[in-house]
Amino acid sequence: MKRFFAFQMILSLFILLIIVGCAAKSVSPPSQATLQTRNLEPSPGKALVYYYNHKRFLGSTTVSLDEMSSEVKKDFYVMWEVEPGEHHLKFTHKQAIFVEKVKLDITCEADQIYYFHMLGSDKETHKIDPVDNETGQANIEQFRLESWFKDGALQQ
C-alpha cells in the first residue's frame, strides 16, 4: 500500500512538472526589429498599420494588407508602412480543408498610426476591429514583431 501511494505521488509530481513546463512562456529578449517597430513614427506622408494577434488558432493564420501578406501567430504583430488612401486588410485562417477569411476595408491618412485586432470567438462572430492608439500601443509593447513591410517590401 505504501509503495502504491509513493508511486502515485511521484507520478502526480511528474505530471505537474510537465504541465508547468508546457505552460511556461519563452523569456528570450525581443529582437532589434521588434524594439524598433514598437514606437516607430510613420515616414512623412505615410501611415503605419499594425495588426496584432492575441488569439490562438489551430492551423495556420495569415494577415495581409493589400497583397503584402504574413503569417501571424498568437502574441505577434505585423506592421505595414503605406501610402494614404484605401487599403484592404484580410485575415485568413486555414485548418485542414476549412478556410476562414475576415476582411475589412480601411482608409489611412498621412502621418497616422492605426491598430487592428480580431474580435469574436468563432467564425460566425469574428471581425477585424480598429483599436484606439493608446490601447493598440500598449498591446504592441507586449507582443513581438512577425513581419514588417515598408515601401511594399518585407523588411524582416
Side-chain angles (χ1 to χ4, degrees), residues 49 64-67 85-91 102-108 114 116 127-130:
V49 177
S64 61
L65 187 67
D66 301 328
E67 297 302 316
E86 299 227 353
H87 298 279
H88 310 286
L89 188 58
K90 178 173 70 174
F91 174 87
V102 182
K103 301 175 184 178
L104 180 67
D105 291 331
I106 63 173
T107 302
C108 298
Y114 301 91
F116 297 91
K127 73 174 194 169
I128 298 173
D129 195 50

Side-chain angles (χ1 to χ4, degrees), residues 85-125:
E86 299 227 353
H87 298 279
H88 310 286
L89 188 58
K90 178 173 70 174
F91 174 87
T92 304
H93 171 220
K94 294 180 183 176
Q95 183 180 358
I97 61 170
F98 166 77
V99 177
E100 174 187 11
K101 293 183 181 183
V102 182
K103 301 175 184 178
L104 180 67
D105 291 331
I106 63 173
T107 302
C108 298
E109 295 181 16
D111 307 316
Q112 298 298 310
I113 301 174
Y114 301 91
Y115 298 91
F116 297 91
H117 71 136
M118 182 70 70
L119 283 182
S121 57
D122 55 36
K123 68 180 184 176
E124 283 79 31
T125 60

Side-chain angles (χ1 to χ4, degrees), residues 20-149:
V20 169
C22 290
K25 212 175 186 182
S26 172
V27 292
S28 63
S31 69
Q32 186 61 37
T34 295
L35 296 173
Q36 185 178 357
T37 59
R38 282 183 177 166
N39 296 301
L40 197 63
E41 292 294 322
S43 299
K46 303 269 183 134
L48 292 179
V49 177
Y50 288 86
Y51 178 91
Y52 61 88
N53 184 31
H54 55 86
K55 294 182 177 285
R56 182 172 312 279
F57 291 90
L58 296 176
S60 66
T61 54
T62 58
V63 63
S64 61
L65 187 67
D66 301 328
E67 297 302 316
M68 298 173 284
S69 182
S70 172
E71 176 183 22
V72 62
K73 298 180 286 275
K74 182 180 185 311
D75 297 335
F76 279 80
Y77 64 92
V78 178
M79 190 194 101
W80 300 267
E81 186 173 66
V82 296
E83 296 289 337
E86 299 227 353
H87 298 279
H88 310 286
L89 188 58
K90 178 173 70 174
F91 174 87
T92 304
H93 171 220
K94 294 180 183 176
Q95 183 180 358
I97 61 170
F98 166 77
V99 177
E100 174 187 11
K101 293 183 181 183
V102 182
K103 301 175 184 178
L104 180 67
D105 291 331
I106 63 173
T107 302
C108 298
E109 295 181 16
D111 307 316
Q112 298 298 310
I113 301 174
Y114 301 91
Y115 298 91
F116 297 91
H117 71 136
M118 182 70 70
L119 283 182
S121 57
D122 55 36
K123 68 180 184 176
E124 283 79 31
T125 60
H126 280 156
K127 73 174 194 169
I128 298 173
D129 195 50
V131 179
D132 67 85
N133 283 7
E134 186 176 320
T135 303
Q137 183 60 44
N139 284 317
I140 293 302
E141 292 290 329
Q142 305 302 311
F143 296 165
R144 294 180 183 263
L145 177 67
E146 183 83 55
S147 296
W148 171 17
F149 294 90

